[in-house]
Amino acid sequence: MSAPIEVNIPHQLGKEAVRARLDGGIGKITRMIPGGGTVEHRWEGDTVHFTVAAMGQSIASRATVSDTNVHAVVDLPGFLGLFAGKIRDAIQAEAPKLLK
């Protein structure tokens, strides 16, 4: 396993609004994956744990919501670690859209 990707996404929505938007938008992640995929998620307090599965790979992730920030951690399996920079860039560009 490679080092996890960590991204902070600032917001001005408050915790409850962010939670609602993540619940409604987390399934949209599969639209960014060529050939599609599946997403499963569950909440534990202010942290949503989710797994994205596609092309024979499974990526475990979590996002912790605070009043002004979402801290996301993505654990890449070894092979995908080669693409960590591109994946981080995509997360930083696309994650704020989930909050809109």
Side-chain angles (χ1 to χ4, degrees):
M1 172 134 349
S2 61
I5 294 172
E6 295 193 40
V7 177
N8 288 302
I9 306 144
H11 67 83
Q12 298 177 348
L13 302 170
K15 280 185 185 181
E16 292 308 313
V18 169
R19 285 178 61 114
R21 291 179 185 187
L22 287 175
D23 270 337
I26 208 159
K28 295 177 184 176
I29 292 171
T30 60
R31 293 183 195 163
M32 295 180 271
I33 301 170
T38 61
V39 177
E40 295 180 8
H41 76 283
R42 65 183 164 70
W43 284 93
E44 288 182 11
D46 290 329
T47 301
V48 62
H49 297 265
F50 59 101
T51 303
V52 179
M55 297 181 274
Q57 298 292 315
S58 183
I59 301 171
S61 307
R62 60 198 170 279
T64 302
V65 179
S66 69
D67 290 328
T68 60
N69 186 56
V70 176
H71 180 75
V73 179
V74 179
D75 298 315
L76 296 175
F79 170 73
L80 290 177
L82 298 171
F83 305 100
K86 289 194 178 284
I87 293 170
R88 178 183 291 108
D89 292 345
I91 292 168
Q92 288 176 324
E94 298 298 324
K97 295 176 186 177
L98 290 175
L99 303 181
K100 292 184 178 185

